[in-house]
Amino acid sequence: MLLANFSHFILETGTDEAGRGCLAGPVTAAAVILSPTLSQGEGAQTDTTKIIFEQLNDSKQLSEKTREKLRPIIESQAIAFAVTHLHPNEIDEINILNASMKAMQECILKLNPIPEFIIVDGNRALNAKLGLKTTFGKQFSKAEIALLKSIPNQSIIKGDSKYRSIAAASVLAKTYRDEYMNTIHEEFPMYNWKQNKGYPTKEHREAIMKYGVTKYHRMTFRLLPEQLKLEI
């Protein structure tokens, strides 16, 4: 069983991202506030809900079927949740690490109620970099930057396998991103994003070599091995 809370605050949110290592598609973040009692399996509406919450874990450790079962239950039982996609043009402009953090920051700003404490998967504080000037995407206002700075937060290495709210965020980020990749697969089926979700598989790289790049590819990433060159 994963832990319910890191802090003593009731409105503690966990946040995580998916798609950081992909060659195509967005990096997707989610933030989830769970009730501490619900996250322990108490007060759940049905036995099924209790069983599902017992299965909650880092999304990478779960089957696609389990993730899809968990998503609507997390959404219905959460105090609040938010999901954000940051697209390749912004990833290329500010780099994937900053894009991942910005996506999580945007999720926090969407939450209602505003969390009292934030736990984030990884080793970097959520408010380490705020207000990056970008050509694309959301521009943070001074008030939004001040709000993000005001909320205490803690980064936790492998937090998605330790705390339920981070695990819930990892499930939402993964399922929403997979859904997005399934949609753009219909536009460019030759890359088989429905299967590889934009990750650097052999099949994906062979398709890039054969068909070139799309508007969904991250141009600052190594799309092909060093020994191969792509004419753009």
Side-chain angles (χ1 to χ4, degrees), residues 19-170:
R20 187 165 155 179
C22 295
L23 304 181
V27 60
T28 302
V32 180
I33 303 176
L34 293 175
S35 165
T37 56
L38 177 62
S39 68
Q40 293 167 9
E42 301 170 7
Q45 293 180 352
T46 66
D47 289 340
T48 301
T49 306
K50 291 181 181 180
I51 292 170
I52 292 297
F53 268 100
E54 288 173 359
Q55 295 177 6
L56 189 58
N57 200 347
D58 168 15
S59 63
K60 295 186 292 297
Q61 304 302 318
L62 303 174
S63 68
E64 181 179 1
K65 182 178 179 180
T66 299
R67 290 194 299 265
E68 292 299 332
K69 286 172 63 179
L70 282 167
R71 173 175 158 177
I73 294 174
I74 292 168
E75 293 179 345
S76 65
Q77 301 300 327
I79 294 173
F81 73 91
V83 179
T84 297
H85 297 300
L86 247 68
H87 295 283
N89 49 11
E90 193 165 2
I91 292 171
D92 287 337
E93 184 170 35
I94 63 175
N95 79 47
I96 186 59
L97 176 59
N98 288 330
S100 299
M101 300 306 294
K102 185 171 185 280
M104 289 188 279
Q105 292 161 0
E106 289 191 29
C107 285
I108 300 302
L109 294 173
K110 293 177 182 177
L111 291 174
N112 184 19
I114 296 295
E116 300 169 292
F117 197 92
I118 302 164
I119 52 176
V120 55
D121 184 53
N123 60 3
R124 191 184 189 211
L126 186 70
N127 57 8
K129 269 193 179 179
L130 292 168
L132 289 171
K133 298 300 180 183
T134 59
T135 307
F136 309 99
K138 177 179 174 58
Q139 306 297 310
F140 290 172
S141 68
K142 290 182 179 179
E144 288 172 330
I145 292 172
L147 176 61
L148 288 168
K149 285 182 176 179
S150 73
I151 305 172
N153 69 91
Q154 177 66 49
S155 59
I156 301 171
I157 295 173
K158 299 188 182 300
D160 50 6
S161 61
K162 297 175 181 176
Y163 290 92
R164 289 188 176 265
S165 61
I166 301 180
S170 77

Side-chain angles (χ1 to χ4, degrees), residues 19 21-25 64 174 177-178 181-182 184-185 188-208 217:
C22 295
L23 304 181
E64 181 179 1
K174 174 63 175 169
R177 187 180 187 280
D178 283 358
M181 297 306 295
N182 291 345
I184 65 172
H185 167 87
F188 294 99
M190 66 282 287
Y191 299 94
N192 201 16
W193 290 330
K194 192 171 185 178
Q195 181 67 36
N196 63 54
K197 303 299 189 266
Y199 280 92
T201 62
K202 180 181 178 182
E203 174 191 43
H204 189 186
R205 283 187 154 138
E206 286 177 349
I208 293 171
H217 281 100

